[in-house]
Amino acid sequence: MLSAHYRDLIFYKTLADLRAEAARTYIGFLWWIIDPLIFMAIFYVVFGLLLKRSVPDFVPFLLIGLVSWRWFQNTITHSATSILGGRGLMQQVYVPKVIFPLVVILTDLVKFGLVLALLLIYLWVAGFGIGWTYLALPVLLLTQFVLIVGLTLVVAAFVPFVPDLKHLVEHSLQILFYFSGIFFSGSTIPEKYQIYFYLNPMANVIEAYRDILMYQKWPNWLALMLIAVLGLGISILAYRFVQHNDHLYPKLIKR
């Protein structure tokens, strides 16, 4: 485990990165909100207005899927070059290389928190009230967070060895985007194919968000437990892999 000194470093570097990113634009941190809003508006126009999806309450249905997906996709994508991007700090002082993807994880967590807050406000204004099922929301958020941590560490760990893997990850996420139930409900899939659809962890996560926030239903606890166990297992293995190869990453970056 990381010492208190390195945990403090992660915290302060996360704050520094957030401030630096906000300083690069005229509207600062507001861009963290405007960017996903534009992203969601585009898909609403295409799938909600032009293609006229017949899903009831399609706007909140779509927004919940997109918000939860963006957290997943952005963190993994941004982490791909996180260790490679830490070359400047590596050349000045020794730091455990796992710090770099962890900073990315926390940075994108802050951005997601802002967008999630806006989503919840929209849902309340739109008439989707708070029910007892909201007690399951922290569990769901933690489950998705553990899954994101695991996959983020895997991508960050291997890209320095095979830089082209970054492009494969981006294309894989783009394909997964259309097969995670963002634009449709899993119940609309023929029953014989549903088992394959729900092998996708994000399909279960997105459905759980909708159950809690829209339908006042408890999520599928078994599915969330399996996803959490999967994410935790991947996180531990990936963390150990990064630690084991800690001394190799500076050499790979200098090549």
Side-chain angles (χ1 to χ4, degrees), residues 24 46 55-56 95 100 115 119 129 133 153 158 160 170 198 207 248:
R24 286 196 290 267
V46 173
V55 177
V95 291
F100 300 109
V115 178
L119 174 64
T133 55
L153 290 179
F158 285 99
E170 292 174 350
Y198 286 112
E207 186 171 280
L248 288 178

Side-chain angles (χ1 to χ4, degrees), residues 132-204:
W132 286 107
T133 55
Y134 263 66
L135 294 174
L137 186 57
V139 177
L140 175 56
L141 290 168
L142 181 60
T143 298
Q144 186 179 3
F145 178 74
V146 171
L147 176 66
I148 289 173
V149 169
L151 296 179
T152 295
L153 290 179
V154 167
V155 171
F158 285 99
V159 165
F161 292 94
V162 187
D164 288 347
L165 185 61
K166 175 179 181 292
H167 304 295
L168 178 61
V169 169
E170 292 174 350
H171 290 304
S172 298
L173 287 172
Q174 192 63 32
I175 294 171
L176 198 62
F177 174 74
Y178 293 101
F179 290 94
S180 295
I182 295 171
F183 308 105
F184 57 88
S185 171
S187 61
T188 62
I189 300 175
E191 188 173 349
K192 62 180 179 180
Y193 298 121
Q194 287 186 10
I195 186 174
Y196 303 108
F197 173 73
Y198 286 112
L199 287 176
N200 175 0
M202 279 305 298
N204 293 276

Side-chain angles (χ1 to χ4, degrees), residues 4-153:
H5 169 72
Y6 289 125
R7 290 197 295 270
D8 289 342
L9 176 60
I10 292 172
F11 175 76
Y12 288 113
K13 191 173 189 319
T14 299
L15 290 180
D17 286 358
L18 287 169
R19 289 170 181 166
E21 186 173 337
R24 286 196 290 267
T25 62
Y26 287 108
I27 57 177
F29 72 90
L30 289 177
W31 187 249
W32 304 341
I33 298 172
I34 295 174
D35 176 59
L37 288 179
I38 294 173
F39 176 81
M40 290 184 282
I42 292 171
F43 281 98
Y44 169 67
V45 170
V46 173
F47 290 94
L49 300 180
L50 300 182
L51 298 182
K52 294 187 180 298
R53 302 290 297 178
S54 59
V55 177
D57 297 312
F58 182 69
V59 174
F61 181 92
L62 175 65
L63 294 182
I64 290 172
L66 289 174
V67 168
S68 54
W69 172 262
R70 286 272 287 182
W71 180 26
F72 176 81
Q73 180 184 40
N74 285 349
T75 308
I76 295 175
T77 302
H78 295 160
S79 73
T81 56
S82 58
I83 293 180
L84 294 175
R87 61 172 61 89
L89 184 57
M90 288 184 206
Q91 293 170 354
Q92 299 176 36
V93 64
Y94 169 77
V95 291
K97 310 311 174 289
V98 74
I99 282 178
F100 300 109
L102 291 179
V103 168
V104 171
I105 290 169
L106 292 182
T107 300
D108 280 310
L109 176 62
V110 172
K111 298 177 187 177
F112 167 72
L114 292 174
V115 178
L116 177 63
L118 291 178
L119 174 64
L120 293 178
I121 293 172
Y122 164 76
L123 291 173
W124 299 335
V125 172
F128 296 92
I130 300 176
W132 286 107
T133 55
Y134 263 66
L135 294 174
L137 186 57
V139 177
L140 175 56
L141 290 168
L142 181 60
T143 298
Q144 186 179 3
F145 178 74
V146 171
L147 176 66
I148 289 173
V149 169
L151 296 179
T152 295
L153 290 179

